[in-house]
Amino acid sequence: MNRLLILVLATFPFISNAQYRNDASLVISPLKMEEQSSYQLMYRRQLPNKLWNLRASMGILVNTDKEVRNDSTTLNSGSVSYTLAAGGQRKLVLEDIKKAYAYIGSDVYWQSQFLRNPTDTYYGYYWNVGTTPLVGISYEPIKNIRLSIESRSDFNLNFQKYDAETDYKDTRVSFKPLNQLAIGLGYLF
């Protein structure tokens, strides 16, 4: 037991001086606070070459139990939406600036929604897929904190007919060149 404790204490300085390779971030879009893509949890993993990162994110929005009463009728509506995304980003080093860098990347996503119309008693299931090309800037003001801002486009493919009011109703293919501005606060570990 003592040998194990000595081994752990002896290797601690080497581990604590290691490069941070993981980033867990909360990403919000301040311009679209009512949409499901406005809140995301993101994980980034730096690859050994230090120029590429793998990204994975998840966003969820639960907006249920809306009740509208008109004299003798009651209309219920609501939705549960989630987005799963995975992709990569490449670091673009800015000369003479050590704490900031630019990056480009792309995510592939699966967006799903359970939506209840006011006149129905069930939730309809709708889904679509797409990709989000992005460009951003990251800044590390202190040791374990990363601030980032990125601009995202959206190329979406929809393979089903929508009966409900959603962003992609009656469209099979859509492209939004400036779809989202996202701000992230990350912890490096």
Side-chain angles (χ1 to χ4, degrees):
M1 178 66 180
N2 288 338
R3 289 182 186 174
L4 180 63
L5 182 62
I6 291 171
L7 180 64
V8 169
L9 292 175
T11 58
F12 182 72
F14 299 109
I15 295 171
S16 64
N17 289 333
Q19 175 79 24
Y20 299 110
R21 299 177 58 100
N22 300 300
D23 174 7
S25 299
L26 173 64
V27 181
I28 62 168
S29 178
L31 303 177
K32 298 182 175 186
M33 295 298 268
E34 296 298 320
E35 294 183 15
Q36 85 179 53
S37 60
S38 298
Y39 307 94
Q40 288 183 333
L41 291 175
M42 180 181 292
Y43 171 77
R44 288 183 253 212
R45 171 79 176 169
Q46 186 180 51
L47 296 179
N49 67 5
K50 297 186 180 179
L51 289 178
W52 286 93
N53 285 350
L54 297 177
R55 302 163 48 109
S57 65
M58 181 187 88
I60 189 164
L61 177 67
V62 178
N63 191 9
T64 60
D65 296 332
K66 290 183 184 176
E67 188 172 294
V68 178
R69 292 179 175 255
N70 295 329
D71 292 337
S72 62
T73 60
T74 301
L75 302 175
N76 292 321
S77 65
S79 66
V80 177
S81 307
Y82 67 90
T83 302
L84 301 174
Q89 74 181 41
R90 187 181 193 292
K91 182 190 262 187
L92 305 173
V93 180
L94 304 172
E95 286 186 35
D96 301 331
I97 302 175
K98 293 186 180 199
K99 292 189 173 196
Y101 63 89
Y103 59 90
I104 58 172
S106 182
D107 290 334
V108 176
Y109 67 85
W110 169 276
Q111 193 172 52
S112 184
Q113 186 173 28
F114 295 97
L115 189 66
R116 182 174 178 182
N117 290 327
T119 57
D120 294 335
T121 59
Y122 60 90
Y123 281 84
Y125 178 68
Y126 306 100
W127 60 271
N128 54 68
V129 295
T131 183
T132 55
L134 55 98
V135 61
I137 297 174
S138 281
Y139 174 62
E140 297 173 10
I142 57 178
K143 189 175 180 179
N144 288 13
I145 302 297
R146 176 179 290 153
L147 303 173
S148 62
I149 185 167
E150 61 187 46
S151 176
R152 300 176 180 176
S153 299
D154 185 19
F155 179 71
N156 184 275
L157 300 173
N158 178 14
F159 298 110
Q160 68 184 135
K161 182 182 173 191
Y162 276 55
D163 295 331
E165 291 296 325
T166 62
D167 288 344
Y168 304 108
K169 181 180 180 179
D170 298 329
T171 58
R172 294 289 183 206
V173 177
S174 67
F175 179 68
K176 298 175 186 174
L178 296 173
N179 187 48
Q180 187 180 41
L181 178 68
I183 298 172
L185 174 61
Y187 177 73
L188 303 171
F189 59 98

